[in-house]
Amino acid sequence: YRPVKKFPKLETNYHNLLYACRYCNQWKSDHWPLLAQKILREIILNPFIHKICSHLDKSQFAWRGKTKQGRWNVLKLRLDSPLR
């Protein structure tokens, strides 16, 4: 979840490891929000912390954001892409 480039000590921390498809992992890359991004809720959703179904509508093939944070995650991780 937290990028190894910025948090090298967490590389093998179990609570920092999340299963992701190769595309989501690629699109997330080493993103970690700056203070302004945190204020704007531009934060990658973490299923251990966030209730994903509150932020994302997964009822269709192309996922949609229900909240501002959900919509940002759809754009950032391309959750409406046929490649996911």
Side-chain angles (χ1 to χ4, degrees), residues 13-27:
N13 182 300
Y14 179 76
H15 296 289
N16 192 51
L17 301 173
L18 296 179
Y19 181 79
C21 75
R22 64 181 170 153
Y23 299 109
C24 286
N25 195 40
Q26 174 186 353
W27 292 320

Side-chain angles (χ1 to χ4, degrees):
Y1 182 68
R2 292 179 185 229
V4 174
K5 285 183 181 180
K6 297 176 183 177
F7 303 92
K9 291 182 180 181
L10 296 178
E11 183 174 17
T12 59
N13 182 300
Y14 179 76
H15 296 289
N16 192 51
L17 301 173
L18 296 179
Y19 181 79
C21 75
R22 64 181 170 153
Y23 299 109
C24 286
N25 195 40
Q26 174 186 353
W27 292 320
K28 180 194 177 292
S29 185
D30 63 349
H31 173 79
W32 191 250
L34 302 171
L35 179 58
Q37 291 171 309
K38 289 179 183 178
I39 293 168
L40 294 172
R41 309 289 295 155
E42 293 177 351
I43 301 167
I44 302 288
L45 294 168
N46 181 335
F48 292 123
I49 300 169
H50 305 99
K51 190 172 181 181
I52 302 298
C53 61
S54 295
H55 295 280
L56 297 173
D57 175 2
K58 302 184 290 180
S59 64
Q60 303 291 321
F61 177 80
W63 293 6
R64 296 179 323 165
K66 295 180 181 179
T67 64
K68 183 177 180 178
Q69 190 172 3
R71 288 186 292 276
W72 184 85
N73 273 260
V74 168
L75 291 173
K76 175 69 177 165
L77 301 176
R78 302 175 190 175
L79 297 175
D80 55 355
S81 168
L83 294 177
R84 65 163 173 79

